[in-house]
Amino acid sequence: MGIRITEYVGEQVRIIRKSKNYTQEQLGEKVGLPQPYIGGIERGERNISLDTFERILEALEVSPGEFFRGYSDNYFSENEKAKETVLINLSELLSKRSIRDIEMIQHLASDVLATIDSHVKTENEKK
């Protein structure tokens, strides 16, 4: 797999902290943690709690979505990223439909996939 999440969190904390012109000490004061602890987070040496993470996000004035925006770019393969993009787009399309429409689309998709699987199996048997 790609980058460890503790490393990513540390890198992001450092990038965002510097973009806000905070020192480690200033961020530590806002979060209620000593400067060496902030340094440990930034180096990926600290496995912080969600409570601490939430306090850091608040101090940096950044949402979790903004914070993790680039994570998938470092963590997933190109194929996984492309698949995730298609699934997100599909989810957005479906979210605007009624449950009846979604169930009908699900049924149609199941039928189409069964047909594709059957065709692929037949083609493989011919080889």
Side-chain angles (χ1 to χ4, degrees):
M1 288 209 167
I3 189 169
R4 290 180 36 235
I5 195 164
T6 53
E7 292 170 358
Y8 179 82
V9 167
E11 288 175 10
Q12 285 300 102
V13 167
R14 177 179 289 121
I15 290 166
I16 297 168
R17 173 184 61 77
K18 287 184 173 186
S19 76
K20 306 262 183 192
N21 293 315
Y22 295 153
T23 64
Q24 287 181 346
E25 188 172 350
Q26 289 169 324
L27 178 59
E29 287 172 9
K30 288 179 168 285
V31 178
L33 295 169
Q35 177 276 323
Y37 196 89
I38 298 295
I41 293 169
E42 291 184 357
R43 291 187 300 276
E45 299 170 355
R46 296 285 183 173
N47 186 8
I48 61 174
S49 70
L50 290 176
D51 179 61
T52 299
F53 180 64
E54 185 175 47
R55 292 191 337 251
I56 290 170
L57 292 180
E58 287 173 4
L60 294 173
E61 300 173 346
V62 63
S63 72
E66 292 171 301
F67 189 89
F68 285 108
R69 183 172 291 133
Y71 185 65
S72 63
D73 293 341
N74 293 318
Y75 197 70
F76 295 113
S77 70
E78 289 301 316
N79 186 49
E80 291 169 319
K81 285 187 264 186
K83 189 175 183 179
E84 183 67 19
T85 299
V86 171
L87 291 172
I88 288 168
N89 292 338
L90 182 59
S91 178
E92 288 173 4
L93 285 172
L94 293 175
S95 70
K96 299 171 186 160
R97 307 305 299 214
S98 70
I99 186 67
R100 183 172 179 263
D101 288 351
I102 294 170
E103 288 171 341
M104 185 172 32
I105 292 166
Q106 180 184 18
H107 180 73
L108 289 168
S110 292
D111 289 347
V112 168
L113 292 173
T115 301
I116 290 170
D117 291 345
S118 174
H119 179 70
V120 168
K121 183 179 176 185
T122 302
E123 289 298 314
N124 287 338
E125 289 172 353
K126 289 181 181 178
K127 291 181 181 180

